[in-house]
Amino acid sequence: MPRTLNIAVEGCCHGMLDNIYAQLLTRQQQMKKKVDLLIICGDFQAVRNVTDLGCMSCPDKYKQIGGFYRYYSGERSAPVPTIFVGGNHEASNHMRELYYGGWVAPNIYFMGNSGVVRFGGLRIGGISGIFKDFDYAKGFFERPPFRGHARSAMHHVRAFEAFKMLQIRQPLDVIVSHDWPQFIERYGDTSELLRRKPFFAKEVERGDLGSPVNAMLLERLRPAWWFSAHLHVRFTAQVGTQESIFAKGWKGIPPYGHERPLTSENPGAVEPPAVANENEIIMSALSDEESDNETEPAPTTSDEPVTFANPSVPSRPTKFLALDKCLPRRDFLEIVEIEVPDDAAVEEPKLEYDPEWLAILRLCNPHIPLDDSPFYPPAQAPVTATEPHLPLFADNILARELEWVSKHVFANGPVAIPPNFVPVAPVPPAGTPDSASFGLARNDGGNRGRGRGANRGRGGRHGYGQARSDAPWDGPRPYTIYPNPQTDDFCKMIGIDDRLTQRRYQDPQ
């Protein structure tokens, strides 16, 4: 008989781990069942120190240390195995150190810019960040100290990550993202969504709400569950077995970035599409508190619905659940039961590496783009001859890499992700309040007329009314990027070069 795993799902974390874990343990006691895994859908804010806080893309008035540093230092420990994806309010420098994924604290695992892991018989995929069309096709051009646009661009989803996810052939049970998939609101109670969030009305009408990248991945990969956050509202939907998420209109956004130009090496490719006007600014309602003020894709139309169906994935419905941020009287935490085959069930599930994903990383890593030029899929992954021209490595090429990882990594069976976390960056002294901003929030220029003084910020968020602490950081300013031995060990294990996270500068800021 199948076994049921109790999976807790949380929306936007915003550094409030203490409150999330307290609520989770209360729920666990009430239902008299053990929670096996906690999934957090972004805006985790793994902030360790003042430099991490400075690398977080948000108005200064929201920059507070939060409670994560206590889990990083070992002062507190996560009571439940926890995994998360990145959102658009993260210590992006910390996330860059763990580009391929890794432990940010004992028992708390970041899934990387994109990734797949296994847990107790479940196969869980994740993609970090939010979609912005003006950065989507670019490579990873950001360099320390990550100022200006580079700071916000680090949490914008890139075509290279979508390209990696497209190579997945085996079915996924769960996908976690921060952004909603585009059009998903049309498969739930749209009227109730707009009653609670009326400022989404124009985006819903235009079909702009959510990420076209995530919509494409949902259509292609068809997980049993998709969990998201970002819009600060609870919402459920279900895409039926025979339904296409694009049935009501496809905006014409390229499915993975700029297609490779026609060459003798790649005769099946199509001409690169025109780039949207980057000077056109469209306000995007991202939450009930603020909007990003960044460029949205110019709407286009298509006469025929596009299908991205993956013949390797069984036809099945996808249940969608989005949750709110961690605040009193908000729907930010929910526990769902997911069945796993009995032969995959274990008494104490552990996070494990996924063989197919490691094979995909070996295939894709040599092609990681390191500047702001458009990403072109390699010639070995020609676009398909029919719509929608997906760039896919041939099955035999993927099988060859899968054979390598089976021999060199999984020779003795499943491989648990080793608990090899070590702290590499300084943290503030024990007892530092969650509201500490180290002087970064003294200028309340981002107030937006909400009537909040610089001494308040989100004081109600950390500690529910706690006054902001503006004492300066004590001691030398930490580096922007630290070498992380987890990344080194992972790359050695699967035989790849770390071409991204080791491009660092060690000068203090």
Side-chain angles (χ1 to χ4, degrees), residues 77-111:
S77 59
V80 175
T82 303
I83 63 175
F84 71 96
V85 296
N88 58 313
H89 300 306
E90 303 290 357
S92 296
N93 58 322
H94 188 187
M95 301 296 93
R96 179 59 60 86
E97 294 173 12
L98 297 169
Y99 168 77
Y100 301 100
W103 304 103
V104 296
N107 222 23
I108 304 177
Y109 188 82
F110 172 50
M111 295 192 68

PDB file of all heavy atoms in Angstrom, residues 77-111:
ATOM      1  N   SER A  77      18.029  25.444  15.980  1.00  0.00           N
ATOM      2  CA  SER A  77      18.055  24.405  14.949  1.00  0.00           C
ATOM      3  C   SER A  77      16.659  24.192  14.379  1.00  0.00           C
ATOM      4  O   SER A  77      15.651  24.339  15.085  1.00  0.00           O
ATOM      5  CB  SER A  77      18.597  23.086  15.524  1.00  0.00           C
ATOM      6  OG  SER A  77      17.796  22.646  16.598  1.00  0.00           O
ATOM      7  N   ALA A  78      16.612  23.839  13.102  1.00  0.00           N
ATOM      8  CA  ALA A  78      15.339  23.594  12.429  1.00  0.00           C
ATOM      9  C   ALA A  78      14.748  22.284  12.933  1.00  0.00           C
ATOM     10  O   ALA A  78      15.392  21.241  12.856  1.00  0.00           O
ATOM     11  CB  ALA A  78      15.542  23.539  10.922  1.00  0.00           C
ATOM     12  N   PRO A  79      13.510  22.291  13.449  1.00  0.00           N
ATOM     13  CA  PRO A  79      12.925  21.071  14.000  1.00  0.00           C
ATOM     14  C   PRO A  79      12.423  20.102  12.942  1.00  0.00           C
ATOM     15  O   PRO A  79      12.107  18.953  13.263  1.00  0.00           O
ATOM     16  CB  PRO A  79      11.768  21.598  14.855  1.00  0.00           C
ATOM     17  CG  PRO A  79      11.363  22.872  14.187  1.00  0.00           C
ATOM     18  CD  PRO A  79      12.629  23.458  13.638  1.00  0.00           C
ATOM     19  N   VAL A  80      12.331  20.553  11.701  1.00  0.00           N
ATOM     20  CA  VAL A  80      11.809  19.749  10.598  1.00  0.00           C
ATOM     21  C   VAL A  80      12.727  19.956   9.393  1.00  0.00           C
ATOM     22  O   VAL A  80      13.174  21.088   9.143  1.00  0.00           O
ATOM     23  CB  VAL A  80      10.369  20.180  10.242  1.00  0.00           C
ATOM     24  CG1 VAL A  80       9.856  19.446   9.015  1.00  0.00           C
ATOM     25  CG2 VAL A  80       9.423  19.946  11.416  1.00  0.00           C
ATOM     26  N   PRO A  81      13.040  18.901   8.638  1.00  0.00           N
ATOM     27  CA  PRO A  81      13.803  19.112   7.397  1.00  0.00           C
ATOM     28  C   PRO A  81      13.115  20.164   6.527  1.00  0.00           C
ATOM     29  O   PRO A  81      11.900  20.097   6.305  1.00  0.00           O
ATOM     30  CB  PRO A  81      13.778  17.733   6.733  1.00  0.00           C
ATOM     31  CG  PRO A  81      13.577  16.772   7.848  1.00  0.00           C
ATOM     32  CD  PRO A  81      12.705  17.480   8.844  1.00  0.00           C
ATOM     33  N   THR A  82      13.890  21.122   6.051  1.00  0.00           N
ATOM     34  CA  THR A  82      13.337  22.284   5.344  1.00  0.00           C
ATOM     35  C   THR A  82      14.073  22.483   4.032  1.00  0.00           C
ATOM     36  O   THR A  82      15.308  22.440   3.996  1.00  0.00           O
ATOM     37  CB  THR A  82      13.480  23.546   6.219  1.00  0.00           C
ATOM     38  OG1 THR A  82      12.820  23.340   7.476  1.00  0.00           O
ATOM     39  CG2 THR A  82      12.889  24.763   5.525  1.00  0.00           C
ATOM     40  N   ILE A  83      13.314  22.703   2.960  1.00  0.00           N
ATOM     41  CA  ILE A  83      13.898  23.071   1.674  1.00  0.00           C
ATOM     42  C   ILE A  83      13.218  24.340   1.182  1.00  0.00           C
ATOM     43  O   ILE A  83      12.073  24.622   1.549  1.00  0.00           O
ATOM     44  CB  ILE A  83      13.789  21.949   0.615  1.00  0.00           C
ATOM     45  CG1 ILE A  83      12.318  21.642   0.290  1.00  0.00           C
ATOM     46  CG2 ILE A  83      14.508  20.690   1.081  1.00  0.00           C
ATOM     47  CD1 ILE A  83      12.143  20.633  -0.836  1.00  0.00           C
ATOM     48  N   PHE A  84      13.921  25.109   0.361  1.00  0.00           N
ATOM     49  CA  PHE A  84      13.316  26.347  -0.146  1.00  0.00           C
ATOM     50  C   PHE A  84      13.925  26.733  -1.481  1.00  0.00           C
ATOM     51  O   PHE A  84      15.023  26.291  -1.840  1.00  0.00           O
ATOM     52  CB  PHE A  84      13.488  27.492   0.864  1.00  0.00           C
ATOM     53  CG  PHE A  84      14.886  28.026   1.011  1.00  0.00           C
ATOM     54  CD1 PHE A  84      15.298  29.159   0.309  1.00  0.00           C
ATOM     55  CD2 PHE A  84      15.799  27.413   1.861  1.00  0.00           C
ATOM     56  CE1 PHE A  84      16.591  29.662   0.447  1.00  0.00           C
ATOM     57  CE2 PHE A  84      17.088  27.901   2.013  1.00  0.00           C
ATOM     58  CZ  PHE A  84      17.485  29.029   1.307  1.00  0.00           C
ATOM     59  N   VAL A  85      13.175  27.551  -2.221  1.00  0.00           N
ATOM     60  CA  VAL A  85      13.676  28.209  -3.426  1.00  0.00           C
ATOM     61  C   VAL A  85      13.817  29.691  -3.126  1.00  0.00           C
ATOM     62  O   VAL A  85      13.249  30.200  -2.154  1.00  0.00           O
ATOM     63  CB  VAL A  85      12.742  27.998  -4.638  1.00  0.00           C
ATOM     64  CG1 VAL A  85      12.669  26.531  -5.020  1.00  0.00           C
ATOM     65  CG2 VAL A  85      11.348  28.571  -4.368  1.00  0.00           C
ATOM     66  N   GLY A  86      14.571  30.385  -3.970  1.00  0.00           N
ATOM     67  CA  GLY A  86      14.748  31.814  -3.798  1.00  0.00           C
ATOM     68  C   GLY A  86      13.595  32.598  -4.393  1.00  0.00           C
ATOM     69  O   GLY A  86      12.936  32.162  -5.337  1.00  0.00           O
ATOM     70  N   GLY A  87      13.354  33.786  -3.839  1.00  0.00           N
ATOM     71  CA  GLY A  87      12.345  34.693  -4.369  1.00  0.00           C
ATOM     72  C   GLY A  87      12.997  35.941  -4.924  1.00  0.00           C
ATOM     73  O   GLY A  87      14.114  35.904  -5.439  1.00  0.00           O
ATOM     74  N   ASN A  88      12.314  37.075  -4.776  1.00  0.00           N
ATOM     75  CA  ASN A  88      12.865  38.334  -5.267  1.00  0.00           C
ATOM     76  C   ASN A  88      13.348  39.236  -4.134  1.00  0.00           C
ATOM     77  O   ASN A  88      13.752  40.368  -4.373  1.00  0.00           O
ATOM     78  CB  ASN A  88      11.854  39.083  -6.139  1.00  0.00           C
ATOM     79  CG  ASN A  88      10.556  39.383  -5.411  1.00  0.00           C
ATOM     80  OD1 ASN A  88       9.992  38.501  -4.767  1.00  0.00           O
ATOM     81  ND2 ASN A  88      10.057  40.601  -5.522  1.00  0.00           N
ATOM     82  N   HIS A  89      13.295  38.740  -2.904  1.00  0.00           N
ATOM     83  CA  HIS A  89      13.857  39.464  -1.765  1.00  0.00           C
ATOM     84  C   HIS A  89      14.760  38.492  -1.011  1.00  0.00           C
ATOM     85  O   HIS A  89      14.346  37.854  -0.036  1.00  0.00           O
ATOM     86  CB  HIS A  89      12.753  40.004  -0.849  1.00  0.00           C
ATOM     87  CG  HIS A  89      11.821  40.963  -1.522  1.00  0.00           C
ATOM     88  ND1 HIS A  89      12.271  42.084  -2.190  1.00  0.00           N
ATOM     89  CD2 HIS A  89      10.471  40.966  -1.654  1.00  0.00           C
ATOM     90  CE1 HIS A  89      11.232  42.749  -2.684  1.00  0.00           C
ATOM     91  NE2 HIS A  89      10.139  42.076  -2.382  1.00  0.00           N
ATOM     92  N   GLU A  90      15.992  38.363  -1.481  1.00  0.00           N
ATOM     93  CA  GLU A  90      16.936  37.414  -0.915  1.00  0.00           C
ATOM     94  C   GLU A  90      18.296  38.084  -0.713  1.00  0.00           C
ATOM     95  O   GLU A  90      18.598  39.102  -1.348  1.00  0.00           O
ATOM     96  CB  GLU A  90      17.126  36.205  -1.848  1.00  0.00           C
ATOM     97  CG  GLU A  90      15.865  35.438  -2.191  1.00  0.00           C
ATOM     98  CD  GLU A  90      15.281  34.664  -1.023  1.00  0.00           C
ATOM     99  OE1 GLU A  90      15.881  34.669   0.074  1.00  0.00           O
ATOM    100  OE2 GLU A  90      14.209  34.064  -1.188  1.00  0.00           O
ATOM    101  N   ALA A  91      19.098  37.494   0.173  1.00  0.00           N
ATOM    102  CA  ALA A  91      20.514  37.845   0.247  1.00  0.00           C
ATOM    103  C   ALA A  91      21.181  37.166  -0.941  1.00  0.00           C
ATOM    104  O   ALA A  91      21.694  36.054  -0.855  1.00  0.00           O
ATOM    105  CB  ALA A  91      21.112  37.363   1.565  1.00  0.00           C
ATOM    106  N   SER A  92      21.138  37.832  -2.078  1.00  0.00           N
ATOM    107  CA  SER A  92      21.503  37.185  -3.344  1.00  0.00           C
ATOM    108  C   SER A  92      22.960  36.745  -3.374  1.00  0.00           C
ATOM    109  O   SER A  92      23.308  35.777  -4.060  1.00  0.00           O
ATOM    110  CB  SER A  92      21.224  38.134  -4.515  1.00  0.00           C
ATOM    111  OG  SER A  92      19.838  38.403  -4.599  1.00  0.00           O
ATOM    112  N   ASN A  93      23.830  37.429  -2.632  1.00  0.00           N
ATOM    113  CA  ASN A  93      25.231  37.009  -2.582  1.00  0.00           C
ATOM    114  C   ASN A  93      25.358  35.648  -1.905  1.00  0.00           C
ATOM    115  O   ASN A  93      26.139  34.792  -2.337  1.00  0.00           O
ATOM    116  CB  ASN A  93      26.068  38.053  -1.855  1.00  0.00           C
ATOM    117  CG  ASN A  93      25.583  38.305  -0.431  1.00  0.00           C
ATOM    118  OD1 ASN A  93      24.382  38.327  -0.158  1.00  0.00           O
ATOM    119  ND2 ASN A  93      26.512  38.500   0.494  1.00  0.00           N
ATOM    120  N   HIS A  94      24.592  35.418  -0.846  1.00  0.00           N
ATOM    121  CA  HIS A  94      24.603  34.121  -0.148  1.00  0.00           C
ATOM    122  C   HIS A  94      24.075  33.024  -1.078  1.00  0.00           C
ATOM    123  O   HIS A  94      24.647  31.933  -1.160  1.00  0.00           O
ATOM    124  CB  HIS A  94      23.754  34.219   1.120  1.00  0.00           C
ATOM    125  CG  HIS A  94      23.844  33.007   2.001  1.00  0.00           C
ATOM    126  ND1 HIS A  94      23.055  32.842   3.119  1.00  0.00           N
ATOM    127  CD2 HIS A  94      24.617  31.890   1.937  1.00  0.00           C
ATOM    128  CE1 HIS A  94      23.353  31.693   3.698  1.00  0.00           C
ATOM    129  NE2 HIS A  94      24.287  31.098   2.995  1.00  0.00           N
ATOM    130  N   MET A  95      23.007  33.327  -1.793  1.00  0.00           N
ATOM    131  CA  MET A  95      22.440  32.335  -2.723  1.00  0.00           C
ATOM    132  C   MET A  95      23.429  32.015  -3.848  1.00  0.00           C
ATOM    133  O   MET A  95      23.510  30.875  -4.312  1.00  0.00           O
ATOM    134  CB  MET A  95      21.128  32.841  -3.313  1.00  0.00           C
ATOM    135  CG  MET A  95      20.040  33.166  -2.284  1.00  0.00           C
ATOM    136  SD  MET A  95      19.449  31.756  -1.316  1.00  0.00           S
ATOM    137  CE  MET A  95      20.504  31.834   0.137  1.00  0.00           C
ATOM    138  N   ARG A  96      24.199  33.004  -4.286  1.00  0.00           N
ATOM    139  CA  ARG A  96      25.170  32.776  -5.355  1.00  0.00           C
ATOM    140  C   ARG A  96      26.260  31.794  -4.904  1.00  0.00           C
ATOM    141  O   ARG A  96      26.764  31.005  -5.703  1.00  0.00           O
ATOM    142  CB  ARG A  96      25.773  34.104  -5.805  1.00  0.00           C
ATOM    143  CG  ARG A  96      26.832  34.013  -6.901  1.00  0.00           C
ATOM    144  CD  ARG A  96      26.350  33.367  -8.185  1.00  0.00           C
ATOM    145  NE  ARG A  96      25.250  34.026  -8.833  1.00  0.00           N
ATOM    146  CZ  ARG A  96      25.346  35.027  -9.696  1.00  0.00           C
ATOM    147  NH1 ARG A  96      26.522  35.529 -10.003  1.00  0.00           N
ATOM    148  NH2 ARG A  96      24.256  35.529 -10.255  1.00  0.00           N
ATOM    149  N   GLU A  97      26.621  31.830  -3.628  1.00  0.00           N
ATOM    150  CA  GLU A  97      27.621  30.887  -3.124  1.00  0.00           C
ATOM    151  C   GLU A  97      27.160  29.440  -3.278  1.00  0.00           C
ATOM    152  O   GLU A  97      27.977  28.517  -3.357  1.00  0.00           O
ATOM    153  CB  GLU A  97      27.896  31.146  -1.637  1.00  0.00           C
ATOM    154  CG  GLU A  97      28.556  32.469  -1.332  1.00  0.00           C
ATOM    155  CD  GLU A  97      28.652  32.751   0.158  1.00  0.00           C
ATOM    156  OE1 GLU A  97      28.414  31.817   0.952  1.00  0.00           O
ATOM    157  OE2 GLU A  97      28.958  33.898   0.522  1.00  0.00           O
ATOM    158  N   LEU A  98      25.839  29.240  -3.303  1.00  0.00           N
ATOM    159  CA  LEU A  98      25.250  27.899  -3.378  1.00  0.00           C
ATOM    160  C   LEU A  98      24.417  27.770  -4.649  1.00  0.00           C
ATOM    161  O   LEU A  98      23.289  27.258  -4.618  1.00  0.00           O
ATOM    162  CB  LEU A  98      24.397  27.630  -2.137  1.00  0.00           C
ATOM    163  CG  LEU A  98      25.162  27.626  -0.807  1.00  0.00           C
ATOM    164  CD1 LEU A  98      24.192  27.616   0.374  1.00  0.00           C
ATOM    165  CD2 LEU A  98      26.106  26.425  -0.728  1.00  0.00           C
ATOM    166  N   TYR A  99      24.964  28.224  -5.753  1.00  0.00           N
ATOM    167  CA  TYR A  99      24.237  28.223  -7.024  1.00  0.00           C
ATOM    168  C   TYR A  99      23.657  26.847  -7.359  1.00  0.00           C
ATOM    169  O   TYR A  99      22.542  26.736  -7.861  1.00  0.00           O
ATOM    170  CB  TYR A  99      25.165  28.688  -8.146  1.00  0.00           C
ATOM    171  CG  TYR A  99      24.623  28.451  -9.536  1.00  0.00           C
ATOM    172  CD1 TYR A  99      23.632  29.278 -10.059  1.00  0.00           C
ATOM    173  CD2 TYR A  99      25.081  27.390 -10.312  1.00  0.00           C
ATOM    174  CE1 TYR A  99      23.121  29.058 -11.330  1.00  0.00           C
ATOM    175  CE2 TYR A  99      24.576  27.152 -11.573  1.00  0.00           C
ATOM    176  CZ  TYR A  99      23.592  27.997 -12.080  1.00  0.00           C
ATOM    177  OH  TYR A  99      23.081  27.762 -13.340  1.00  0.00           O
ATOM    178  N   TYR A 100      24.386  25.783  -7.073  1.00  0.00           N
ATOM    179  CA  TYR A 100      23.922  24.429  -7.385  1.00  0.00           C
ATOM    180  C   TYR A 100      23.050  23.842  -6.284  1.00  0.00           C
ATOM    181  O   TYR A 100      22.557  22.715  -6.418  1.00  0.00           O
ATOM    182  CB  TYR A 100      25.118  23.500  -7.620  1.00  0.00           C
ATOM    183  CG  TYR A 100      26.014  23.935  -8.750  1.00  0.00           C
ATOM    184  CD1 TYR A 100      27.193  24.618  -8.502  1.00  0.00           C
ATOM    185  CD2 TYR A 100      25.672  23.672 -10.076  1.00  0.00           C
ATOM    186  CE1 TYR A 100      28.013  25.028  -9.539  1.00  0.00           C
ATOM    187  CE2 TYR A 100      26.488  24.073 -11.122  1.00  0.00           C
ATOM    188  CZ  TYR A 100      27.660  24.750 -10.841  1.00  0.00           C
ATOM    189  OH  TYR A 100      28.479  25.154 -11.879  1.00  0.00           O
ATOM    190  N   GLY A 101      22.854  24.583  -5.208  1.00  0.00           N
ATOM    191  CA  GLY A 101      22.113  24.095  -4.063  1.00  0.00           C
ATOM    192  C   GLY A 101      23.039  23.764  -2.914  1.00  0.00           C
ATOM    193  O   GLY A 101      24.234  23.518  -3.101  1.00  0.00           O
ATOM    194  N   GLY A 102      22.491  23.765  -1.699  1.00  0.00           N
ATOM    195  CA  GLY A 102      23.298  23.434  -0.539  1.00  0.00           C
ATOM    196  C   GLY A 102      22.626  23.848   0.746  1.00  0.00           C
ATOM    197  O   GLY A 102      21.587  24.521   0.752  1.00  0.00           O
ATOM    198  N   TRP A 103      23.218  23.436   1.843  1.00  0.00           N
ATOM    199  CA  TRP A 103      22.684  23.762   3.171  1.00  0.00           C
ATOM    200  C   TRP A 103      23.025  25.202   3.531  1.00  0.00           C
ATOM    201  O   TRP A 103      24.189  25.587   3.529  1.00  0.00           O
ATOM    202  CB  TRP A 103      23.268  22.832   4.224  1.00  0.00           C
ATOM    203  CG  TRP A 103      23.063  21.373   3.969  1.00  0.00           C
ATOM    204  CD1 TRP A 103      23.985  20.480   3.492  1.00  0.00           C
ATOM    205  CD2 TRP A 103      21.858  20.627   4.165  1.00  0.00           C
ATOM    206  NE1 TRP A 103      23.433  19.226   3.378  1.00  0.00           N
ATOM    207  CE2 TRP A 103      22.117  19.272   3.790  1.00  0.00           C
ATOM    208  CE3 TRP A 103      20.586  20.945   4.628  1.00  0.00           C
ATOM    209  CZ2 TRP A 103      21.162  18.272   3.852  1.00  0.00           C
ATOM    210  CZ3 TRP A 103      19.618  19.946   4.697  1.00  0.00           C
ATOM    211  CH2 TRP A 103      19.909  18.629   4.325  1.00  0.00           C
ATOM    212  N   VAL A 104      22.008  25.986   3.880  1.00  0.00           N
ATOM    213  CA  VAL A 104      22.267  27.330   4.407  1.00  0.00           C
ATOM    214  C   VAL A 104      22.381  27.296   5.916  1.00  0.00           C
ATOM    215  O   VAL A 104      22.856  28.254   6.542  1.00  0.00           O
ATOM    216  CB  VAL A 104      21.153  28.323   3.985  1.00  0.00           C
ATOM    217  CG1 VAL A 104      21.129  28.487   2.477  1.00  0.00           C
ATOM    218  CG2 VAL A 104      19.793  27.893   4.511  1.00  0.00           C
ATOM    219  N   ALA A 105      21.954  26.204   6.517  1.00  0.00           N
ATOM    220  CA  ALA A 105      22.055  25.947   7.956  1.00  0.00           C
ATOM    221  C   ALA A 105      21.774  24.464   8.134  1.00  0.00           C
ATOM    222  O   ALA A 105      21.226  23.818   7.225  1.00  0.00           O
ATOM    223  CB  ALA A 105      21.050  26.800   8.743  1.00  0.00           C
ATOM    224  N   PRO A 106      22.120  23.894   9.261  1.00  0.00           N
ATOM    225  CA  PRO A 106      21.785  22.483   9.464  1.00  0.00           C
ATOM    226  C   PRO A 106      20.277  22.237   9.288  1.00  0.00           C
ATOM    227  O   PRO A 106      19.448  22.944   9.852  1.00  0.00           O
ATOM    228  CB  PRO A 106      22.226  22.234  10.913  1.00  0.00           C
ATOM    229  CG  PRO A 106      23.339  23.209  11.140  1.00  0.00           C
ATOM    230  CD  PRO A 106      22.931  24.437  10.377  1.00  0.00           C
ATOM    231  N   ASN A 107      19.944  21.259   8.464  1.00  0.00           N
ATOM    232  CA  ASN A 107      18.555  20.837   8.222  1.00  0.00           C
ATOM    233  C   ASN A 107      17.758  21.817   7.371  1.00  0.00           C
ATOM    234  O   ASN A 107      16.544  21.671   7.254  1.00  0.00           O
ATOM    235  CB  ASN A 107      17.816  20.584   9.541  1.00  0.00           C
ATOM    236  CG  ASN A 107      16.941  19.341   9.493  1.00  0.00           C
ATOM    237  OD1 ASN A 107      17.164  18.430   8.691  1.00  0.00           O
ATOM    238  ND2 ASN A 107      15.923  19.298  10.335  1.00  0.00           N
ATOM    239  N   ILE A 108      18.414  22.828   6.773  1.00  0.00           N
ATOM    240  CA  ILE A 108      17.719  23.792   5.900  1.00  0.00           C
ATOM    241  C   ILE A 108      18.484  23.843   4.578  1.00  0.00           C
ATOM    242  O   ILE A 108      19.635  24.289   4.531  1.00  0.00           O
ATOM    243  CB  ILE A 108      17.652  25.196   6.525  1.00  0.00           C
ATOM    244  CG1 ILE A 108      16.992  25.138   7.904  1.00  0.00           C
ATOM    245  CG2 ILE A 108      16.878  26.140   5.612  1.00  0.00           C
ATOM    246  CD1 ILE A 108      16.957  26.487   8.623  1.00  0.00           C
ATOM    247  N   TYR A 109      17.824  23.418   3.504  1.00  0.00           N
ATOM    248  CA  TYR A 109      18.503  23.211   2.219  1.00  0.00           C
ATOM    249  C   TYR A 109      17.938  24.133   1.140  1.00  0.00           C
ATOM    250  O   TYR A 109      16.721  24.191   0.914  1.00  0.00           O
ATOM    251  CB  TYR A 109      18.338  21.757   1.778  1.00  0.00           C
ATOM    252  CG  TYR A 109      19.145  21.374   0.555  1.00  0.00           C
ATOM    253  CD1 TYR A 109      20.489  21.030   0.668  1.00  0.00           C
ATOM    254  CD2 TYR A 109      18.566  21.355  -0.712  1.00  0.00           C
ATOM    255  CE1 TYR A 109      21.241  20.682  -0.444  1.00  0.00           C
ATOM    256  CE2 TYR A 109      19.298  21.006  -1.832  1.00  0.00           C
ATOM    257  CZ  TYR A 109      20.640  20.676  -1.697  1.00  0.00           C
ATOM    258  OH  TYR A 109      21.378  20.330  -2.804  1.00  0.00           O
ATOM    259  N   PHE A 110      18.843  24.866   0.477  1.00  0.00           N
ATOM    260  CA  PHE A 110      18.480  25.705  -0.667  1.00  0.00           C
ATOM    261  C   PHE A 110      18.580  24.876  -1.940  1.00  0.00           C
ATOM    262  O   PHE A 110      19.583  24.206  -2.174  1.00  0.00           O
ATOM    263  CB  PHE A 110      19.433  26.907  -0.728  1.00  0.00           C
ATOM    264  CG  PHE A 110      19.301  27.755  -1.954  1.00  0.00           C
ATOM    265  CD1 PHE A 110      18.068  28.218  -2.387  1.00  0.00           C
ATOM    266  CD2 PHE A 110      20.429  28.109  -2.688  1.00  0.00           C
ATOM    267  CE1 PHE A 110      17.954  29.011  -3.529  1.00  0.00           C
ATOM    268  CE2 PHE A 110      20.338  28.900  -3.823  1.00  0.00           C
ATOM    269  CZ  PHE A 110      19.087  29.353  -4.243  1.00  0.00           C
ATOM    270  N   MET A 111      17.557  24.945  -2.797  1.00  0.00           N
ATOM    271  CA  MET A 111      17.513  24.106  -3.993  1.00  0.00           C
ATOM    272  C   MET A 111      18.313  24.655  -5.155  1.00  0.00           C
ATOM    273  O   MET A 111      18.340  24.055  -6.234  1.00  0.00           O
ATOM    274  CB  MET A 111      16.062  23.873  -4.414  1.00  0.00           C
ATOM    275  CG  MET A 111      15.262  23.070  -3.395  1.00  0.00           C
ATOM    276  SD  MET A 111      13.677  22.517  -4.027  1.00  0.00           S
ATOM    277  CE  MET A 111      14.180  21.323  -5.265  1.00  0.00           C
TER     278      MET A 111
END
